């Protein structure tokens, strides 16, 4: 069983839709949670970084962590075609090593 | 890209040959990482370094070695390339606000 599970999609939505991306993790020792965005043929870039349970908002993006159920989410409001990318969740383990989900491919259609 | 560069960007090599990929940073970060990215597997850690000459294995380290003789350079060597090592390789450094900063990747094809 993978330590971080993420539905790979693909996910296709119309412009303006609210997008919900989700991951589950198995290790209760994970403390830090991240979302990365990766455009085609580019390296991943950090989108959101959270530590505790609860919500963190940055513009149209909201990251949510529920440690009791080991569930992390990313919400994108008013989605734009420029949001089309692969979104990867990640958790931080000991020794500053990240464990990634498989990534969800998102397409926002104009 | 935030002071981290990878070279080469693309490489095609033959089975059985050694290959070295280079990661260079200008951020003076202590931690550096090598990941590979494959469909169905996402990003998987190969090796990482926590200082000059200090390295450790990740989850998919078989067939790979690394070296770090200077803070700014982290080299990944495929000792004898196999077709299963065809992949996109990413180097990363631990960023200032948490998380990692990734390089642009090296696309390696082993034929």
């Amino acid at each position: 069983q993978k330590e971080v599970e993420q539905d790979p999609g693909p996910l296709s939505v119309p412009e303006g839709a609210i997008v919900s991306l989700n991951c589950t993790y198995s290790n209760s020792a994970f403390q830090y949670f991240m979302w990365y965005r990766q455009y085609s043929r580019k390296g991943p870039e950090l989108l959101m970084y959270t530590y505790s349970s609860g919500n963190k908002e940055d513009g149209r993006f909201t990251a949510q962590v529920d440690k009791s159920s080991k569930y992390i989410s990313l919400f994108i409001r008013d989605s734009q075609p420029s949001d089309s990318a692969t979104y990867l969740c990640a958790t931080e383990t000991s020794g500053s090593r990240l464990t990634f989900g498989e990534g969800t491919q998102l397409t926002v259609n104009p | 890209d935030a002071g981290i560069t990878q070279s080469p960007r693309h490489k095609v090599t033959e089975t059985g040959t050694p290959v070295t990929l280079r990661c260079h940073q200008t951020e003076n970060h202590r931690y550096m990482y090598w990941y590979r990215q494959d469909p169905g597997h996402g990003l998987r850690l190969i090796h990482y370094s926590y200082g000059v000459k200090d390295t450790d294995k990740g989850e998919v380290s078989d067939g790979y070695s690394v070296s770090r003789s200077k803070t700014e350079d982290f080299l990944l060597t495929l000792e004898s390339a196999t077709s299963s090592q065809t992949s996109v390789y990413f180097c990363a450094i631990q960023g200032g606000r948490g998380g990692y900063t990734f390089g642009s990747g090296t696309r390696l094809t082993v034929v």
Side-chain angles (χ1 to χ4, degrees), chain A residues 41, chain B residues 6-13 19-21 87-89 104-109:
Chain A
R41 295 186 172 266
Chain B
Q6 292 183 234
S7 59
R9 291 296 311 275
H10 302 270
K11 186 169 182 66
V12 179
T13 192
V19 177
T20 295
L21 309 182
S87 185
V88 182
Y89 291 85
S104 299
T106 295
R107 290 187 170 270
L108 177 68
T109 302

Side-chain angles (χ1 to χ4, degrees), chain A residues 2 34 36 38 41-47 49 88 92 95-102, chain B residues 9 31 33 35 37 40-43 45 48 57 90 94 97-100 102-104 107:
Chain A
K2 295 180 181 178
M34 283 139 274
Y36 286 81
Q38 185 177 22
R41 295 186 172 266
K42 300 288 187 183
E45 56 177 336
L46 182 65
L47 200 56
Y49 181 91
L88 303 108
E92 188 162 347
S96 297
R97 293 177 290 163
L98 294 187
T99 300
F100 286 86
E102 187 179 334
Chain B
R9 291 296 311 275
Y31 283 87
Y33 308 83
Y35 281 83
Q37 188 173 36
H41 293 280
L43 283 158
L45 181 65
Y48 69 103
K57 297 178 180 181
F90 286 101
Q94 191 170 31
R97 61 179 180 117
Y100 293 176
F102 284 85
S104 299
R107 290 187 170 270

Side-chain angles (χ1 to χ4, degrees), chain A residues 5-27:
Chain A
E5 297 276 0
Q6 183 176 8
D7 185 343
L11 181 62
S12 181
V13 301
E15 183 175 354
I18 296 175
V19 176
S20 173
L21 304 168
N22 308 293
C23 291
T24 59
Y25 62 95
S26 58
N27 190 340

Side-chain angles (χ1 to χ4, degrees), chain A residues 49-82:
Chain A
Y49 181 91
T50 57
Y51 169 66
S52 58
S53 283
N55 294 350
K56 182 177 181 179
E57 193 172 314
D58 184 0
R60 297 184 295 109
F61 298 89
T62 299
Q64 190 173 80
V65 177
D66 183 347
K67 288 188 176 180
S68 63
S69 58
K70 300 189 184 69
Y71 199 81
I72 57 178
S73 301
L74 178 71
F75 299 96
I76 307 174
R77 291 184 300 280
D78 187 26
S79 56
Q80 302 296 308
S82 58

